[in-house]
Amino acid sequence: MQKQIKLIFRSAHGDRYLVAGEADSIVDVCRKYGIPTTQVSTYLNSPQGELNLFVKPYQPLGEFVGDAEVVVFPNRNIDYHALLGGKDVVRERPGASTWIRLRENGPGSAEGFVTEMLNPAQAQELVAAQVKEALELSGVRDEPLVIGVSGGGDSNALLGAIVKSGLVSRQNILPVMMLGIPDWDKGADRATAICEEQGLSLRFVQDEETARILGFTDPKRDWVTAFEQAFPGDDLEVLGVYGVRRVLESVALESRAKRIVIGSNLEDCLSDVLYYLCAGKVPFPKPCGPMGKVDILYPLWLTPKAVIDGCYPKYSRENYEARYPSRMYGRAYFYYLAQMMVDAYPGAGQDMLRGASKLSKEHFQELAYDEEFDTPTAAPIPLDVRLKLRKLFGARLTT
């Protein structure tokens, strides 16, 4: 049985006592208690009361602590006690499919964190409430909405939430699924089942029609194979996301819809904001903004992915099992930052998105339009990429 090692987290706000095992390192302890690992200095307090600095972030404490007391000093004078709170209050529920962590500090409630277990019906209700709020914020009335679906967790939950909102009639909810990418096409049965459950008619855009919309004209190859040959080592996700937007835009223009709807969740939208900020740009407007010939609406912009997956857990698992490995470092980098922010403190991600939304309303300028490829771009297309795209498509992209 491991010996317990006691540590003191000492700040201007007083001492807080932490507990570790012999095999735990300082990094392990900090992560356990939510303390930033790079923002502390650590000391051994001898029986004589002498503090001796040690820098062994990854070494097990049991290997060197002995009978000394470990004292951890944060390097910033902020109220960690208020931020970290006490132990979580966990509210268990039978049949839980997900959970959400909340901060409670209002009148009549003790300050601290509450972890709420949610079953699928409760997750669906939470998603529906947040989607309705986003639709109202965006001024949506009973109008045609072209909604991208994939059979993944986000679009599965989104469709039912829009129906439950009561703001848009079923005849104006137009689900569309782009076909042509083998890994993505595996979600077709799930997408069909969800649409049938909600009383909606799902339109499939076949791979030949997708190729036409993208402007791909080579009769000897499909557009997916052609992309992989033109951009070896690059994720098909790049062209796939672009293709989905172009397909939805094409259907919207055909249906006289002014908006297309994307199932991007909290972490998706937050990673997007972080990318724009790191690039020195004003973030794209959320939950709704102009792109190309239509507006893009993100009703799930404040909803965590974990809650969304809890709506239809079996379908979400099947979607994860069908995924291919993404190797885009830049994409991973911004997603990881977004996920860590959401995980570090309840509400932090939503606060940043709301602030970015206000910033974009005041300062966002519509994206520059690339005439050759008939699309808005966040940044100019580099010449080497432009040459590859010309070779890939062989003609100017058209809608």
Side-chain angles (χ1 to χ4, degrees):
M1 185 174 180
Q2 278 198 40
K3 171 188 173 183
Q4 282 195 336
I5 297 174
K6 293 184 179 180
L7 301 88
I8 297 176
F9 182 74
R10 180 163 291 165
S11 71
H13 298 83
D15 287 353
R16 180 177 179 182
Y17 291 87
L18 316 178
V19 177
E22 291 178 292
D24 291 331
S25 68
I26 285 295
V27 167
D28 294 330
V29 176
C30 287
R31 287 177 176 164
K32 175 182 177 181
Y33 288 96
I35 300 166
T37 60
T38 59
Q39 308 300 306
V40 295
S41 298
T42 50
Y43 296 81
L44 291 178
N45 189 11
S46 70
Q48 293 75 34
E50 182 179 353
L51 291 175
N52 296 300
L53 177 69
F54 70 91
V55 183
K56 301 177 186 289
Y58 297 104
Q59 188 170 340
L61 292 166
E63 293 182 3
F64 64 91
V65 168
D67 295 327
E69 189 176 53
V70 179
V71 183
V72 179
F73 287 93
N75 63 12
R76 180 62 59 185
N77 183 24
I78 59 177
D79 191 352
Y80 285 94
H81 296 286
L83 288 171
L84 301 177
K87 292 184 178 179
D88 277 18
V89 175
V90 179
R91 294 174 181 161
E92 300 279 358
R93 285 193 177 88
S97 58
T98 189
W99 55 276
I100 186 170
R101 193 164 179 251
L102 307 168
R103 173 75 173 176
E104 286 198 347
N105 55 7
S109 65
E111 290 193 2
F113 297 109
V114 174
T115 297
E116 290 274 3
M117 303 293 178
L118 304 174
N119 61 35
Q122 291 163 332
Q124 290 170 25
E125 288 299 324
L126 178 56
V127 171
Q130 295 190 332
V131 165
K132 183 173 183 178
E133 182 179 323
L135 296 178
E136 291 174 336
L137 182 63
S138 303
V140 171
R141 298 293 180 266
D142 191 7
E143 60 184 86
L145 294 179
V146 174
I147 302 166
V149 299
S150 65
D154 296 328
S155 58
N156 287 346
L158 177 60
L159 288 172
I162 294 177
V163 170
K164 284 183 180 179
S165 75
L167 298 174
V168 185
S169 57
R170 279 185 170 82
Q171 61 265 29
N172 275 332
I173 301 175
L174 311 174
V176 175
M177 182 172 181
M178 180 192 81
L179 297 178
I181 299 179
D183 290 326
W184 292 14
D185 293 352
K186 294 175 182 177
D189 289 343
R190 297 191 299 273
T192 299
I194 288 293
C195 287
E196 289 177 351
E197 178 183 313
Q198 298 299 332
L200 303 171
S201 177
L202 173 60
R203 172 173 170 177
F204 288 108
V205 176
Q206 302 297 328
D207 50 357
E208 298 86 357
E209 188 179 357
T210 298
R212 177 189 62 77
I213 292 170
L214 292 177
F216 182 75
T217 58
D218 188 343
K220 299 179 181 179
R221 298 182 297 171
D222 64 271
W223 62 275
V224 172
T225 301
F227 175 84
E228 291 174 336
Q229 291 174 346
F231 295 88
D234 283 359
D235 276 3
L236 187 59
E237 188 95 16
V238 176
L239 190 62
V241 171
Y242 167 76
V244 168
R245 186 187 65 78
R246 290 300 301 270
V247 164
L248 296 181
E249 181 184 75
S250 178
V251 174
L253 295 174
E254 171 192 315
S255 308
R256 297 185 179 180
K258 297 178 181 178
R259 311 184 205 232
I260 62 176
V261 181
I262 303 292
S264 295
N265 56 60
L266 167 65
E267 291 84 358
D268 290 325
C269 294
L270 187 54
S271 66
D272 181 61
V273 164
L274 292 170
Y275 161 77
Y276 272 90
L277 293 177
C278 288
K281 300 177 182 295
V282 177
F284 187 80
K286 300 289 190 309
C288 190
M291 182 174 286
K293 301 177 178 67
V294 294
D295 285 354
I296 299 185
L297 178 59
Y298 302 90
L300 296 171
W301 72 308
L302 297 179
T303 310
K305 175 65 169 168
V307 173
I308 296 169
D309 281 344
C311 294
Y312 297 93
K314 179 176 179 292
Y315 287 165
S316 293
R317 190 206 71 227
E318 290 175 355
N319 179 56
Y320 292 139
E321 290 175 338
R323 284 181 171 176
Y324 65 92
S326 172
R327 293 183 171 86
M328 294 174 63
Y329 173 80
R331 179 171 180 266
Y333 172 67
F334 290 111
Y335 264 101
Y336 183 75
L337 292 179
Q339 290 170 338
M340 291 303 290
M341 178 181 292
V342 171
D343 193 57
Y345 197 82
Q350 288 90 338
D351 286 344
M352 176 168 277
L353 282 179
R354 291 189 183 98
S357 175
K358 182 178 179 181
L359 182 68
S360 66
K361 286 179 183 177
E362 296 173 355
H363 300 287
F364 180 77
Q365 295 181 347
E366 196 165 342
L367 300 178
Y369 210 83
D370 189 291
E371 294 294 338
E372 179 176 6
F373 293 110
D374 191 26
T375 184
T377 60
I381 300 174
L383 180 59
D384 61 330
V385 176
R386 186 177 294 276
L387 293 176
K388 287 184 180 181
L389 289 172
R390 286 174 182 167
K391 184 177 180 181
L392 172 63
F393 291 107
R396 179 179 182 273
L397 292 178
T398 57
T399 52

